[in-house]
Amino acid sequence: MSSSSVETASTTAAADRSLFRASQSRIERLRDRFHQIRNFTDALCAGLEPEDCVVQSMPDVSPTKWHLAHTTWFFETFILKKFVPGYRAEIPEYAYLFNSYYNAAGGMHRRDLRGLISRPTVSQAHRYRASVDSHIDDLLSNPDESLIDEMEAILVLGFHHEQQHQELLITDIKHVFAQNPLYPVFRAAARHSVRADERTATECRPYRFIDFEETVTAMGHDGDGFAYDNEGPRHRALVPAFSLATQPVTNGEFIAFIEDNGYSRPEFWLSLGWMTVNEQCWNAPLYWTKRDGAWWNFTLSGLRPVDQSEPLTHVSYFEADAYANWAGARLPTEFEWERAALSCPIEGNFVETELFHPVAAGSAVLADKPGKDERLHQMFGDVWEWTRSAYSPYPGYRAGPGALGEYNGKFMCNQYVLRGGSCATSRIHIRRTYRNFFQPEKRWQFTGIRLARDPQ
Ligand SMILES: [Fe+2]
């Protein structure tokens, strides 16, 4: 053997070792992330009793137990059954109970009846989680190299799916606890949350508008890292000149709308919104109640006086639109929002702060150069911001084949896009291009308002 062929052989062996190490570290990263996300779901439930975990307070709400099992079903159905030869589910009936809406994956139990299912118990649901986690661990300890690419894409989708359900678990348990006259506490208020009466006047400063010039810009995900299919294809869009408010609407600003009889003046409301307000007898955001002339607010830390400086939350699209009309403004389009967000860092009050409630912008930010602040605040975290854009496909969008193609595409009807994430969203889950969507009458998510307007 010549010295050059020895060199070639050793170079090839080194390259193989390096590829193997790269593949190993990739798998290790996936396994670490899998456990981190699964553990965070469990941590969210740490203070809950089994009785808390089985209640379904309205058809939109799922019991905590169902979230625990459904996210597990996702990994079992789309990873274990697909990538583990001969895998047999320990309890095949769970496939029917814990499929949510994937017709191509088989039949499913009725969504509005999830609260009637007492078996499996909460502890059996935890056992189901532990069993599937252990199978995923085995799979990632001995991966078939040829399947890693395909498996990784679905695993990462499973991570993001579970993070979506973490947010739902939080908003759902809030709705469950809100039905209870004892007002249970999900998490005691964090020590660094500032009391309303300790805030300075500068912190309650009203929003201002920042002007944006007309531009043609690229919209949608650029393909770098994970995104849902509904964030693409990336495409060019004309965004005419507009102005966007520096911060979300606060509780104090919304109280002015209430006190101006906003809920009983049809001139501000869409027809469907006006019908809904009257049918539902809405006169304030969800979770607000008036006691001795003062507004109180049910939070995940219990019942508290409404803090006027906090971002408003738990309003429907109808209320957001009516407020904007009353204020002489409008809601932004999702394209305006995304264009404005390009210059904003993705930072804010996310689920990782474990406050589980929107907070007023810090005094250091708002007190900085009063009157000259040209920045957008709280674009990310705190509250999802309703846009006036209908949730519809981007040009060239096609839903993928099979059950996972049902993830987003089939919901592109009768819903509105929300942007920016909330205090219940994970920081590592949100993106500038992220498109959340809900029907216009829904208000149990952490939904709020940022105003926009046309050039003056
Ligand atoms: Fe799901």
Side-chain angles (χ1 to χ4, degrees):
M1 188 182 286
S2 70
S3 67
S4 68
S5 65
V6 169
E7 269 173 31
T8 306
S10 67
T11 309
T12 307
D16 282 350
R17 278 197 301 279
S18 141
L19 267 177
F20 177 73
R21 276 197 300 274
S23 159
Q24 277 302 96
S25 65
R26 182 175 160 202
I27 291 288
E28 279 162 18
R29 277 199 306 275
L30 283 172
R31 195 164 52 198
D32 288 350
R33 190 131 182 247
F34 174 75
H35 286 298
Q36 180 209 343
I37 287 168
R38 299 284 282 173
N39 290 343
F40 190 66
T41 306
D42 294 336
L44 287 174
C45 303
L48 298 178
E49 299 295 338
E51 291 84 348
D52 300 324
C53 298
V54 297
V55 178
Q56 179 170 31
S57 48
M58 66 167 170
D60 286 325
V61 161
S62 296
T64 304
K65 181 180 73 178
W66 187 88
H67 288 298
L68 292 171
H70 164 70
T71 47
T72 303
W73 167 87
F74 192 96
F75 286 112
E76 182 177 51
T77 303
F78 298 118
I79 296 287
L80 297 182
K81 288 184 178 173
K82 186 175 169 86
F83 295 103
V84 178
Y87 177 82
R88 287 169 66 99
E90 278 176 40
I91 304 175
E93 293 80 7
Y94 284 2
Y96 179 81
L97 274 185
F98 300 124
N99 179 3
S100 52
Y101 56 66
Y102 299 88
N103 293 310
M108 66 206 73
H109 184 60
R110 267 176 58 175
R111 180 185 183 186
D112 58 336
L113 301 183
R114 287 171 187 164
L116 302 183
I117 303 301
S118 59
R119 307 297 173 97
T121 63
V122 176
S123 61
Q124 285 170 325
H126 280 292
R127 277 208 290 282
Y128 178 42
R129 281 179 76 80
S131 163
V132 165
D133 286 1
S134 143
H135 281 292
I136 296 276
D137 249 347
D138 290 347
L139 179 65
L140 294 180
S141 302
N142 231 331
D144 180 338
E145 297 280 328
S146 65
L147 293 177
I148 288 179
D149 282 342
E150 192 186 352
M151 190 167 74
E152 179 177 11
I154 302 173
L155 256 182
V156 172
L157 179 64
F159 301 161
H160 286 272
H161 173 255
E162 180 130 358
Q163 289 179 312
Q164 282 185 291
H165 278 278
Q166 287 167 355
E167 176 151 8
L168 291 170
L169 187 155
I170 292 164
T171 52
D172 288 359
I173 199 69
K174 181 171 183 176
H175 194 267
V176 168
F177 279 0
Q179 314 311 309
N180 187 332
L182 301 180
Y183 295 125
V185 169
F186 175 74
R187 285 286 193 285
R191 62 189 177 287
H192 58 284
S193 81
V194 182
R195 280 175 41 203
D197 56 4
E198 291 172 341
R199 296 190 196 287
T200 64
T202 54
E203 287 177 275
C204 298
R205 199 180 62 182
Y207 56 82
R208 298 171 53 252
F209 282 95
I210 295 180
D211 298 331
F212 290 83
E213 291 179 356
E214 177 175 300
T215 187
V216 173
T217 186
M219 288 287 149
H221 193 253
D222 62 9
D224 187 18
F226 175 83
Y228 288 117
D229 63 348
N230 63 4
E231 295 167 58
R234 191 164 165 88
H235 60 284
R236 284 154 56 83
L238 170 68
V239 185
F242 68 101
S243 304
L244 193 64
T246 46
Q247 64 201 63
V249 170
T250 62
N251 290 333
E253 287 156 354
F254 198 76
I255 286 172
F257 168 74
I258 297 174
E259 291 179 347
D260 198 28
N261 298 316
Y263 275 94
S264 49
R265 293 171 61 182
E267 64 265 35
F268 302 131
W269 295 81
L270 290 163
S271 172
L272 208 51
W274 184 241
M275 224 160 71
T276 309
V277 163
N278 287 293
E279 277 173 10
Q280 302 294 325
C281 300
W282 288 348
N283 60 9
L286 182 63
Y287 302 132
W288 283 33
T289 178
K290 209 166 197 180
R291 290 188 175 183
D292 301 326
W295 286 110
W296 288 67
N297 187 12
F298 178 70
T299 74
L300 282 160
S301 304
L303 193 67
R304 306 199 308 217
V306 166
D307 180 337
Q308 298 214 8
S309 61
E310 282 173 2
L312 168 76
T313 190
H314 295 302
V315 286
S316 64
Y317 177 85
F318 295 139
E319 289 157 296
D321 181 73
Y323 177 86
N325 287 330
W326 172 82
R330 61 172 172 80
L331 300 179
T333 67
E334 65 168 320
F335 304 106
E336 291 168 340
W337 194 98
E338 188 168 321
R339 181 233 194 283
L342 284 176
S343 59
C344 299
I346 304 180
E347 57 190 27
N349 172 25
F350 294 107
V351 73
E352 286 82 1
T353 66
E354 301 196 41
L355 294 173
F356 305 108
H357 192 72
V359 293
S363 54
V365 174
L366 286 176
D368 180 26
K369 297 182 187 168
K372 292 187 177 174
D373 190 358
E374 288 294 317
R375 289 169 299 165
L376 297 169
H377 300 287
Q378 297 173 292
M379 287 286 279
F380 294 97
D382 287 305
V383 293
W384 287 101
E385 298 177 7
W386 283 109
T387 75
R388 70 186 331 188
S389 297
Y391 177 51
S392 55
Y394 284 167
Y397 171 84
R398 299 281 296 183
L404 290 175
E406 297 181 53
Y407 201 107
N408 283 309
K410 70 183 187 181
F411 301 109
M412 291 176 171
C413 177
N414 293 345
Q415 313 214 41
Y416 283 87
V417 173
L418 301 103
R419 294 296 197 116
S422 81
C423 56
T425 309
S426 173
R427 163 66 187 84
I428 55 171
H429 180 65
I430 196 71
R431 289 172 295 285
R432 290 184 180 81
T433 56
Y434 195 110
R435 307 174 78 202
N436 198 359
F437 50 91
F438 279 99
Q439 291 95 349
E441 73 279 11
K442 303 300 185 204
R443 50 186 208 161
W444 95 110
Q445 297 299 302
F446 285 100
T447 46
I449 308 171
R450 182 185 298 268
L451 297 179
R453 65 183 185 195
D454 298 321
Q456 299 293 294

